[in-house]
Each structure stands twice: as C-alpha cells, then as structure tokens.
Amino acid sequence: MPAPTPTINEPARALPVAWSGDVVVAGGGPAGVAAALTAARRGRRVLLIELGGCLGGVWTAGLLCLILDARNKSGIMAEILARLRGQNALTGDHCYDPEAMKLILDQLCAAAGVEVRLHTRVCAVLGRPGDSRRLAAVACEGPAGREAFAADVFIDATGNGDLGHLAGCGWDCGRPGDGLTQPMSLMALLTGLDAAQAAPFLCTDANHAPAKDALLATLRGVGVEPSYGRPSLFPIHHDLYALMANHVYGVKAWDGAGISDGTRRARAEIHRQVEALRGAGGPWSGLRLVATAAHIGIREGRRIRGRRQVVIDDLVRGARFAEPACQATFCVDVHAHDPRAGTCYCYAGRAIQPYDIPRDALRAADCDNLLLAGRCISGDFLAHASYRVTGNAVALGETAGAMAEAGG
C-alpha cells in the first residue's frame, strides 16, 4: 500500500467577488466560446474563463488545425467557418489557420459582449447556503490572485470536466474495466515543403489513408518509428502544414506530472521526426519546425454524469429526440491505449447512423445549475469516442448557452 500523501492546511480567507452576472462558462475552447456567445446574444451577462492566453483551446493553443463533424452544423459553427473562408484561412472543408481562428473568436466574443478572463484557472466552487445542489460562485486563480465569480448558471466546458469534479458531481473516465484512456497528441506546425511535392503526403478528403501510409513509409525509411502509427500532415496554406505524428500513452487528463513529462517527450519526438525527414533530402530538404502546441491535445477526460447518458446503442440505432442538443455523425474513433498492442487504433469501430444527443446529457445529475458542453457531457466510453470532436463541441456549447437562458 502506498504511503499517504503528506498534507498541509491552507488558511481560510475571504475572497473578493470580482464579477457577478448571469452565466459563468469555464473553459474557452470550441464548446465554451459557443456557449458564451449564445448566452450573451440572448441578453445574458456572461463571463468566459480560460486558463490559456487565447480563446479556442485545442483549436488554437493546441494547434489542432482541423475541425471534424462540422459539415452538418449550422449556427455558430457555420458562422466560424464562413469567417475563416472570408479571410482565406480555411483549406478544404476543415483545415484552418490557428492564428486567424484566435482573432475570429476574440472578435465574436467582443461583438456579443462576452466578458473574458484569460490566464485564469477555476480551482474551487462555492455552494449556496442551504442548497447543496446549486452553485453560487467559482473561485479562480489568475493574474490578480484568488477571486470569486458569482452567477445564476454555470457551464462546464473545460473538456476534462474540471468544474463538475470540483462541484462534487459523479463522473466516469476511460475504458470500462481498466479505466485506460485514449492517448494524447502534441500538434506541430511545419514549413519549407513545396505544396506540389507535398501533395502525396497531405491528408485531404480524397487522399486521407494513402497520405498517412506515404508519410509513415517515409518516416520509417529514415529510421524513425512514430509513436502514432497513422502520422498525418494537414495543409493550412501553400507553405504551412500541421503535423499529428505522436501518441502519449497512459496519462490521465488530471495527472500534472504525467502531462508535463508526456509533453516534453512528444516535443522531442517531433524534433527527431522533422530532423530525420529533412535529412532525407529531396522534397524534405527545406523542412522546418515552426511551432509545437502550447498545450498537448487531450482526447479523453472526465465524463460528468448527467440526467441521461449517451450510449453506444444510441449511435447504432440513430437515436432521435424531440429537442436534440446536437446531431453527430462522426465515427467511433478510439486511438490505441497500449503501444504493445499497436499504435494506431484499438477498436475497429461499429457501423453507426447520424444520431441525436439529448439535452439531458448536458444537465449535470448532481447539480441543478450546472450545464455541460463539449466532450465532458454524459456518455459512455464508445459514444464519447464519436461525439468528442470539435464540430460537435461547438453545437453542444451553443445548446448549453441557450439552456442557460432558462436557468439550466
């Protein structure tokens, strides 16, 4: 049995209430921005709290550079795509320039009157006296120190279910039985590869699997075996590309030491891959690494228990609901859990149909004024592997923001 963790008592203190309004949204990624925009456009006073230095989460700080399951989405998702196209910052249907995305999200929030706190982490919740099922405020740490932000309704759009966990909500994580989660990936931006010469290696709708095969063969040809067996190169501009070519296995979303170590290992692997490709010469001779992401991409965190759970059977039968939060179409996409058993995908997937996500999956079961948006909504392991992608996160955030108008 491991030794108990040493503890130290933190002195109690009175926190200044730095903000009070209608809705607090925790997490400024795709789901959080959509939730905040929707609530603000409906006349609510909204505060959007984001740990990083920009809005967008995995889209921007994570340099994801592609949006999945967005084609059938209207509303805010369609609005963002239209703005990206208008700035010549969208390649094909789903690859985008992350710097353009940062500015667009800033502009949308400013126009809607969303108040934004960057560099701020939600670290505790404060309940309402005499009502154990409702939150009164969140306590945050930011540049001004520790402050409280009060609201009528709270939305957890942290991706990892941080707010729901702090509120004492029940949650699930990982694969049934052993709790293993999908690996993380650190994205990177590359330049110095001519677009015509790069064409066989670029993931497009018509050249997805062959491009991954070609890139894997090239890496192996220069003596590099990537930790992700389906390395991918996405076109952003004619001389800018996004690389996804690593997996970090066995790390939970709340494991600070594991994420720190995994990020460093992933960054070192990216540098090795780029240097090896450049050494291969030919079309790769001018390849340069522009940036690695400020935040590693996390595929799987806590799934907060809601008043209804999305389950794999909903996907297989194409479930329909009278007032859906979102319709999803993406496949069941489970990346390998254990590199000893392969480094691509550990689940072959099931045939699914377009399916609705019910609004009750966005209502926390254990808290009456807490809504969920993005990949932390209530679902089982396999359903989550489909709805977790960011096109769905935006639609879920938009619905959560509308639900906040009615108090949840």
Side-chain angles (χ1 to χ4, degrees):
M1 178 180 294
T5 302
T7 61
I8 188 168
N9 291 328
E10 181 180 8
R13 52 180 160 167
L15 296 184
V17 179
W19 185 92
S20 182
D22 299 310
V23 182
V24 163
V25 181
V33 168
L37 283 174
T38 303
R41 288 172 175 179
R42 289 170 174 248
R44 306 292 92 185
R45 187 180 182 201
V46 180
L47 179 67
L48 179 58
I49 300 170
E50 166 55 35
L51 174 61
C54 60
L55 296 177
V58 71
W59 273 352
T60 53
L63 295 181
L64 181 60
C65 296
L66 69 154
I67 306 170
L68 298 176
D69 212 357
R71 290 180 181 174
N72 71 327
K73 304 300 189 295
S74 56
I76 289 173
M77 187 70 262
E79 185 178 350
I80 291 171
L81 292 175
R83 288 200 175 217
L84 288 166
R85 278 191 203 94
Q87 296 186 19
N88 195 30
L90 189 68
T91 302
D93 288 332
H94 62 271
C95 292
Y96 62 89
D97 182 326
E99 281 300 318
M101 180 70 85
K102 289 178 188 178
L103 182 60
I104 287 168
L105 299 182
D106 282 344
Q107 291 170 337
L108 288 171
C109 285
V114 175
E115 298 172 68
V116 177
R117 287 291 188 104
L118 301 176
H119 305 292
T120 302
R121 178 188 290 276
V122 176
C123 52
V125 300
L126 306 171
R128 295 189 180 182
D131 189 347
S132 62
R133 290 188 58 87
R134 298 183 72 82
L135 306 180
V138 293
C140 298
E141 291 280 358
R146 196 172 180 94
E147 300 175 304
F149 303 102
D152 297 323
V153 179
F154 298 82
I155 299 176
D156 187 339
T158 62
N160 298 321
D162 293 337
L163 180 54
H165 170 61
L166 291 170
C169 295
W171 52 271
D172 301 289
C173 183
R175 188 169 63 180
D178 58 18
L180 284 176
T181 57
Q182 296 194 52
M184 303 174 185
S185 291
L186 186 69
M187 296 292 297
L189 294 178
L190 309 180
T191 192
L193 185 60
D194 178 80
Q197 294 178 316
F201 306 98
L202 298 183
C203 288
T204 62
D205 289 344
N207 191 42
H208 204 70
K212 293 180 180 231
D213 292 339
L215 183 56
L216 178 61
T218 301
L219 284 165
R220 285 175 170 170
V222 292
V224 173
E225 184 66 31
S227 55
Y228 173 34
R230 302 297 286 159
S232 309
L233 195 62
F234 301 97
I236 308 304
H237 292 299
H238 74 280
D239 58 352
L240 185 66
Y241 308 90
L243 176 70
M244 180 192 296
N246 60 81
H247 271 171
V248 173
Y249 300 94
V251 178
K252 290 289 196 293
W254 53 88
D255 178 0
I259 290 175
S260 298
D261 177 66
T263 299
R264 292 194 300 268
R265 287 189 285 112
R267 185 177 294 116
E269 181 178 3
I270 291 168
H271 277 269
R272 288 195 302 271
Q273 291 169 346
V274 172
E275 289 167 8
L277 287 170
R278 186 167 56 244
W284 305 99
S285 59
L287 191 67
R288 291 291 183 272
L289 177 59
V290 175
T292 55
H295 198 294
I296 197 166
I298 299 174
R299 293 185 174 89
E300 192 170 1
R302 301 179 189 91
R303 307 186 302 273
I304 303 300
R305 292 174 189 163
R307 298 183 187 178
R308 191 192 186 284
Q309 184 185 49
V310 186
V311 296
I312 185 61
D313 183 61
D314 293 332
L315 283 61
V316 172
R317 66 185 178 87
R320 292 287 180 269
F321 297 93
E323 290 187 295
C326 167
Q327 185 177 90
T329 66
F330 197 62
C331 64
V332 175
D333 180 28
V334 181
H335 286 237
H337 292 87
D338 185 346
R340 294 171 299 183
T343 59
C344 298
Y345 306 100
C346 65
Y347 181 74
R350 297 190 189 181
I352 71 166
Q353 302 179 56
Y355 62 96
D356 290 347
I357 294 175
R359 292 190 173 212
D360 274 352
L362 280 61
R363 293 185 172 99
D366 301 321
C367 186
D368 292 336
N369 65 337
L370 176 62
L371 297 168
L372 314 169
R375 58 182 169 83
C376 67
I377 69 165
S378 183
D380 70 13
F381 170 73
L382 291 178
H384 167 273
S386 167
Y387 65 67
R388 66 179 174 83
V389 295
T390 59
N392 296 321
V394 172
L396 292 168
E398 191 169 355
T399 298
M403 293 166 66
E405 183 181 20

mmCIF file of all heavy atoms in Angstrom, residues 358-380:
data_model
loop_
_atom_site.group_PDB
_atom_site.id
_atom_site.type_symbol
_atom_site.label_atom_id
_atom_site.label_comp_id
_atom_site.label_asym_id
_atom_site.label_seq_id
_atom_site.Cartn_x
_atom_site.Cartn_y
_atom_site.Cartn_z
ATOM 1 N N PRO A 358 -29.252 14.001 -26.586
ATOM 2 C CA PRO A 358 -30.359 14.625 -25.856
ATOM 3 C C PRO A 358 -29.879 15.741 -24.937
ATOM 4 O O PRO A 358 -28.758 15.719 -24.424
ATOM 5 C CB PRO A 358 -30.945 13.457 -25.043
ATOM 6 C CG PRO A 358 -29.771 12.556 -24.820
ATOM 7 C CD PRO A 358 -28.939 12.653 -26.068
ATOM 8 N N ARG A 359 -30.730 16.711 -24.698
ATOM 9 C CA ARG A 359 -30.363 17.836 -23.842
ATOM 10 C C ARG A 359 -30.073 17.399 -22.414
ATOM 11 O O ARG A 359 -29.252 18.041 -21.736
ATOM 12 C CB ARG A 359 -31.474 18.896 -23.855
ATOM 13 C CG ARG A 359 -31.604 19.589 -25.206
ATOM 14 C CD ARG A 359 -32.515 20.788 -25.149
ATOM 15 N NE ARG A 359 -32.474 21.507 -26.424
ATOM 16 C CZ ARG A 359 -32.619 22.818 -26.549
ATOM 17 N NH1 ARG A 359 -32.813 23.566 -25.475
ATOM 18 N NH2 ARG A 359 -32.564 23.388 -27.741
ATOM 19 N N ASP A 360 -30.715 16.345 -21.958
ATOM 20 C CA ASP A 360 -30.476 15.908 -20.580
ATOM 21 C C ASP A 360 -29.046 15.394 -20.378
ATOM 22 O O ASP A 360 -28.595 15.293 -19.231
ATOM 23 C CB ASP A 360 -31.483 14.830 -20.169
ATOM 24 C CG ASP A 360 -32.782 15.434 -19.643
ATOM 25 O OD1 ASP A 360 -32.829 16.669 -19.454
ATOM 26 O OD2 ASP A 360 -33.739 14.676 -19.407
ATOM 27 N N ALA A 361 -28.327 15.076 -21.454
ATOM 28 C CA ALA A 361 -26.918 14.693 -21.319
ATOM 29 C C ALA A 361 -26.050 15.903 -21.003
ATOM 30 O O ALA A 361 -24.886 15.757 -20.630
ATOM 31 C CB ALA A 361 -26.430 14.011 -22.591
ATOM 32 N N LEU A 362 -26.620 17.108 -21.131
ATOM 33 C CA LEU A 362 -25.916 18.353 -20.838
ATOM 34 C C LEU A 362 -26.276 18.901 -19.458
ATOM 35 O O LEU A 362 -25.759 19.943 -19.055
ATOM 36 C CB LEU A 362 -26.225 19.415 -21.896
ATOM 37 C CG LEU A 362 -25.487 19.349 -23.231
ATOM 38 C CD1 LEU A 362 -25.757 18.053 -23.978
ATOM 39 C CD2 LEU A 362 -25.867 20.542 -24.107
ATOM 40 N N ARG A 363 -27.179 18.238 -18.755
ATOM 41 C CA ARG A 363 -27.585 18.663 -17.414
ATOM 42 C C ARG A 363 -26.908 17.756 -16.390
ATOM 43 O O ARG A 363 -27.142 16.547 -16.369
ATOM 44 C CB ARG A 363 -29.095 18.583 -17.252
ATOM 45 C CG ARG A 363 -29.882 19.566 -18.114
ATOM 46 C CD ARG A 363 -31.371 19.502 -17.805
ATOM 47 N NE ARG A 363 -32.105 20.565 -18.487
ATOM 48 C CZ ARG A 363 -32.777 20.403 -19.626
ATOM 49 N NH1 ARG A 363 -32.802 19.206 -20.212
ATOM 50 N NH2 ARG A 363 -33.415 21.419 -20.190
ATOM 51 N N ALA A 364 -26.079 18.321 -15.528
ATOM 52 C CA ALA A 364 -25.403 17.526 -14.515
ATOM 53 C C ALA A 364 -26.427 16.882 -13.588
ATOM 54 O O ALA A 364 -27.365 17.550 -13.131
ATOM 55 C CB ALA A 364 -24.442 18.398 -13.718
ATOM 56 N N ALA A 365 -26.253 15.600 -13.307
ATOM 57 C CA ALA A 365 -27.205 14.886 -12.464
ATOM 58 C C ALA A 365 -27.167 15.364 -11.027
ATOM 59 O O ALA A 365 -28.187 15.326 -10.327
ATOM 60 C CB ALA A 365 -26.930 13.380 -12.529
ATOM 61 N N ASP A 366 -26.013 15.822 -10.561
ATOM 62 C CA ASP A 366 -25.825 16.117 -9.142
ATOM 63 C C ASP A 366 -25.822 17.601 -8.803
ATOM 64 O O ASP A 366 -25.544 17.968 -7.654
ATOM 65 C CB ASP A 366 -24.504 15.491 -8.666
ATOM 66 C CG ASP A 366 -24.465 13.986 -8.870
ATOM 67 O OD1 ASP A 366 -25.511 13.345 -8.643
ATOM 68 O OD2 ASP A 366 -23.409 13.461 -9.264
ATOM 69 N N CYS A 367 -26.110 18.446 -9.769
ATOM 70 C CA CYS A 367 -26.087 19.894 -9.526
ATOM 71 C C CYS A 367 -27.129 20.544 -10.430
ATOM 72 O O CYS A 367 -27.110 20.327 -11.651
ATOM 73 C CB CYS A 367 -24.697 20.458 -9.801
ATOM 74 S SG CYS A 367 -24.516 22.195 -9.386
ATOM 75 N N ASP A 368 -28.006 21.339 -9.846
ATOM 76 C CA ASP A 368 -29.160 21.828 -10.602
ATOM 77 C C ASP A 368 -28.881 23.043 -11.469
ATOM 78 O O ASP A 368 -29.681 23.360 -12.342
ATOM 79 C CB ASP A 368 -30.308 22.148 -9.633
ATOM 80 C CG ASP A 368 -30.887 20.901 -8.982
ATOM 81 O OD1 ASP A 368 -30.744 19.806 -9.578
ATOM 82 O OD2 ASP A 368 -31.461 21.007 -7.882
ATOM 83 N N ASN A 369 -27.799 23.764 -11.224
ATOM 84 C CA ASN A 369 -27.495 24.914 -12.088
ATOM 85 C C ASN A 369 -26.134 24.783 -12.761
ATOM 86 O O ASN A 369 -25.462 25.769 -13.031
ATOM 87 C CB ASN A 369 -27.606 26.233 -11.316
ATOM 88 C CG ASN A 369 -26.579 26.370 -10.200
ATOM 89 O OD1 ASN A 369 -26.058 25.372 -9.699
ATOM 90 N ND2 ASN A 369 -26.293 27.603 -9.796
ATOM 91 N N LEU A 370 -25.765 23.528 -13.051
ATOM 92 C CA LEU A 370 -24.532 23.243 -13.789
ATOM 93 C C LEU A 370 -24.875 22.531 -15.084
ATOM 94 O O LEU A 370 -25.497 21.456 -15.076
ATOM 95 C CB LEU A 370 -23.585 22.379 -12.959
ATOM 96 C CG LEU A 370 -22.300 21.923 -13.666
ATOM 97 C CD1 LEU A 370 -21.442 23.128 -14.074
ATOM 98 C CD2 LEU A 370 -21.503 20.966 -12.791
ATOM 99 N N LEU A 371 -24.473 23.133 -16.209
ATOM 100 C CA LEU A 371 -24.634 22.537 -17.523
ATOM 101 C C LEU A 371 -23.280 22.072 -18.038
ATOM 102 O O LEU A 371 -22.231 22.560 -17.600
ATOM 103 C CB LEU A 371 -25.244 23.549 -18.493
ATOM 104 C CG LEU A 371 -26.660 24.032 -18.148
ATOM 105 C CD1 LEU A 371 -27.041 25.243 -18.996
ATOM 106 C CD2 LEU A 371 -27.678 22.914 -18.328
ATOM 107 N N LEU A 372 -23.315 21.150 -18.976
ATOM 108 C CA LEU A 372 -22.102 20.560 -19.539
ATOM 109 C C LEU A 372 -22.060 20.832 -21.034
ATOM 110 O O LEU A 372 -23.099 20.814 -21.703
ATOM 111 C CB LEU A 372 -22.085 19.050 -19.295
ATOM 112 C CG LEU A 372 -22.456 18.588 -17.887
ATOM 113 C CD1 LEU A 372 -22.667 17.082 -17.847
ATOM 114 C CD2 LEU A 372 -21.382 19.017 -16.887
ATOM 115 N N ALA A 373 -20.874 21.062 -21.569
ATOM 116 C CA ALA A 373 -20.731 21.304 -23.005
ATOM 117 C C ALA A 373 -19.409 20.742 -23.490
ATOM 118 O O ALA A 373 -18.397 20.815 -22.787
ATOM 119 C CB ALA A 373 -20.809 22.798 -23.311
ATOM 120 N N GLY A 374 -19.409 20.152 -24.684
ATOM 121 C CA GLY A 374 -18.193 19.569 -25.224
ATOM 122 C C GLY A 374 -18.030 18.123 -24.797
ATOM 123 O O GLY A 374 -18.993 17.435 -24.459
ATOM 124 N N ARG A 375 -16.783 17.657 -24.771
ATOM 125 C CA ARG A 375 -16.556 16.230 -24.557
ATOM 126 C C ARG A 375 -16.776 15.763 -23.128
ATOM 127 O O ARG A 375 -16.740 14.563 -22.860
ATOM 128 C CB ARG A 375 -15.165 15.823 -25.040
ATOM 129 C CG ARG A 375 -14.003 16.539 -24.400
ATOM 130 C CD ARG A 375 -12.669 16.064 -25.011
ATOM 131 N NE ARG A 375 -11.548 16.881 -24.619
ATOM 132 C CZ ARG A 375 -10.877 16.754 -23.474
ATOM 133 N NH1 ARG A 375 -11.235 15.824 -22.610
ATOM 134 N NH2 ARG A 375 -9.857 17.546 -23.201
ATOM 135 N N CYS A 376 -17.047 16.675 -22.177
ATOM 136 C CA CYS A 376 -17.304 16.253 -20.796
ATOM 137 C C CYS A 376 -18.774 15.988 -20.527
ATOM 138 O O CYS A 376 -19.151 15.742 -19.379
ATOM 139 C CB CYS A 376 -16.754 17.262 -19.796
ATOM 140 S SG CYS A 376 -17.589 18.872 -19.787
ATOM 141 N N ILE A 377 -19.636 16.008 -21.541
ATOM 142 C CA ILE A 377 -21.044 15.687 -21.317
ATOM 143 C C ILE A 377 -21.182 14.220 -20.910
ATOM 144 O O ILE A 377 -20.225 13.449 -20.955
ATOM 145 C CB ILE A 377 -21.910 15.982 -22.560
ATOM 146 C CG1 ILE A 377 -21.594 14.997 -23.700
ATOM 147 C CG2 ILE A 377 -21.761 17.430 -23.009
ATOM 148 C CD1 ILE A 377 -22.612 14.975 -24.805
ATOM 149 N N SER A 378 -22.395 13.827 -20.556
ATOM 150 C CA SER A 378 -22.644 12.490 -20.028
ATOM 151 C C SER A 378 -22.751 11.463 -21.150
ATOM 152 O O SER A 378 -23.655 11.535 -21.989
ATOM 153 C CB SER A 378 -23.943 12.495 -19.215
ATOM 154 O OG SER A 378 -24.187 11.248 -18.628
ATOM 155 N N GLY A 379 -21.822 10.510 -21.175
ATOM 156 C CA GLY A 379 -21.852 9.475 -22.199
ATOM 157 C C GLY A 379 -20.985 8.304 -21.806
ATOM 158 O O GLY A 379 -20.163 8.407 -20.878
ATOM 159 N N ASP A 380 -21.148 7.191 -22.501
ATOM 160 C CA ASP A 380 -20.279 6.049 -22.224
ATOM 161 C C ASP A 380 -19.006 6.141 -23.071
ATOM 162 O O ASP A 380 -18.835 7.045 -23.896
ATOM 163 C CB ASP A 380 -21.012 4.714 -22.380
ATOM 164 C CG ASP A 380 -21.364 4.348 -23.821
ATOM 165 O OD1 ASP A 380 -20.851 4.994 -24.767
ATOM 166 O OD2 ASP A 380 -22.163 3.402 -24.019
#
